[in-house]
Amino acid sequence: MTLTTLQAVRGMHDILPEQLRYFAHLERTVREVVESYGYEEIRMPLVESTELFKRTIGEVTDIVEKEMYTFADRNGDSLSLRPEGTAGCVRAAIENGLLHNQMQRLWYAGPMFRHERPQKGRYRQFHQVGVETFGMNGPDIDAELILLSQRLWQRLGISGVRLEINSLGSQQARAAYRQRLVEYLADHQSALDEDSLRRLHSNPLRILDSKNPAMQAVIGGAPRLLDSLDAESQDHFAQLQQLLDGAGAVYQVNPRLVRGLDYYTKTVFEWVTDRLGAQGTVCAGGRYDGLVEQLGGRPTAAAGFAMGVERLVALLEESATVAPVAPPHFYFAVVGAEAERRGVVWAEQLRSACPQLHLMVNCGGGGFKAQLKRADKSGAAFALVLGEEEARDGRIGVKPLRHELSQRDWQWQALLQALAGRSADEVERILSQH
Ligand code: HAM
């Protein structure tokens, strides 16, 4: 019988050590930057009730209609893998009392799941870093979110991303606009493609987002949401632009930017690049002032964004060099049964004495030659060589691997004492003296 080898689920990827260096670098940098702005980390479950996403993202959005991983659990409850983090974050904030007369700046990172058609930059399991703020209704926090993301690109050395902003207005203004748009599009029905006809009554604003070249003329003639904003949203948007101008941020107002989730009000924004093909949005977000109330909380202003980690890593891989995991300082070669036993104890003693040094112990046997080959391959600066004879006499050989120096024997206790508490540089100096 031959067994077929199993493969990862389509659209879901292993992240191997070489790539993970970039992921880890990104995560470290994000943490540093968001914490420097006063944001605190929150972690939500990967699974939530399906109802949560229907009520927040919107019943007739692509995500909820077509892309969620939804299943009945053993109790028959309908659950879904989270397609994004905002809904869960709002639920968690309400449920845990984080919004009672408080302002909150929160951030999270982790996998999200959408059953989309996989292509470059679009996966079925992908990672987001998201930021959500609660209790601040002015354009100052919108500007902070945008400037924070801009600082991230700077810190990561990512260039060639541009900022697009728009305002969707209040929910009432948007509803009135939607009506006008549907009337206009209904008058031009013969010019609509299949997708747009389907959306005409369910989600007409998304038609403005269509990339179909044949649709551009009819979209170009459509009434503009920006022209029918309510006065408060207009003022909010103008103030946001002033704040961004004052901070020297470069942006473009894109009246067609509508976003694919229903919860947005007023400001929306996206950071876009041409360097990733069709999936060029690396970060997106906006204000969602009605969502907390919609989920049963008190009316609470809210705004946030999420970044696509895989897309940013793709940009990083092109432009930045990230150092590999540092090689070990020592490779501990142990040959013979007694040396192997001793080696385990001595390695632990050395780790306790020098907590900042990296030590890799040979496991899986092999003669001196084979073990020294592995030592060399590990990139270690020194091999510690322990055979049966040395083990009996309480000695150890120290062989520099990066210098033309010969091996030198030490009494184990003397070596431990000499290295205790030393930095990597000091250890290098001590062991290179002959
Ligand atoms: P979103 O636009 O659906 O917004 O996703 C945000 C980012 O996640 C996208 O710009 C993209 O970089 C990345 N992304 C989305 N889908 C995929 C995919 N299938 N494969 C790879 N990357 C993907 C949200 O999720 C909102 N929750 C953002 C937000 C937070 N708004 C307010 N707060």
Side-chain angles (χ1 to χ4, degrees), residues 219-235:
I219 291 172
R224 289 174 9 128
L225 177 53
L226 267 182
D227 297 333
S228 44
L229 282 191
D230 51 295
E232 192 201 330
S233 300
Q234 258 173 28
D235 193 39

Side-chain angles (χ1 to χ4, degrees), residues 63 67 83-87 108 112-117 119 121-133 259-261 263-264 270-271 279-288 303-312:
I63 295 180
E67 296 169 2
E84 57 109 52
T86 309
Y108 52 83
M112 309 289 161
F113 303 85
R114 297 184 193 178
H115 195 273
E116 295 188 83
R117 199 168 50 77
Q119 56 173 250
R122 191 163 72 192
Y123 310 104
R124 291 182 172 172
Q125 175 175 325
F126 60 99
H127 296 76
Q128 282 186 345
V129 173
V131 161
E132 313 291 354
T133 68
R259 311 277 301 120
L261 306 95
Y263 47 63
Y264 292 105
E270 290 192 355
W271 288 93
Q279 304 305 317
T281 308
V282 293
C283 173
R287 183 164 274 288
Y288 48 96
F305 67 77
M307 304 179 266
V309 174
E310 282 77 1
R311 294 182 192 178
L312 289 170

Side-chain angles (χ1 to χ4, degrees), residues 64-78:
V64 169
E65 263 189 347
K66 304 191 286 200
E67 296 169 2
M68 283 214 296
Y69 283 87
T70 296
F71 56 96
D73 79 351
R74 289 179 187 277
N75 302 328
D77 296 330
S78 179

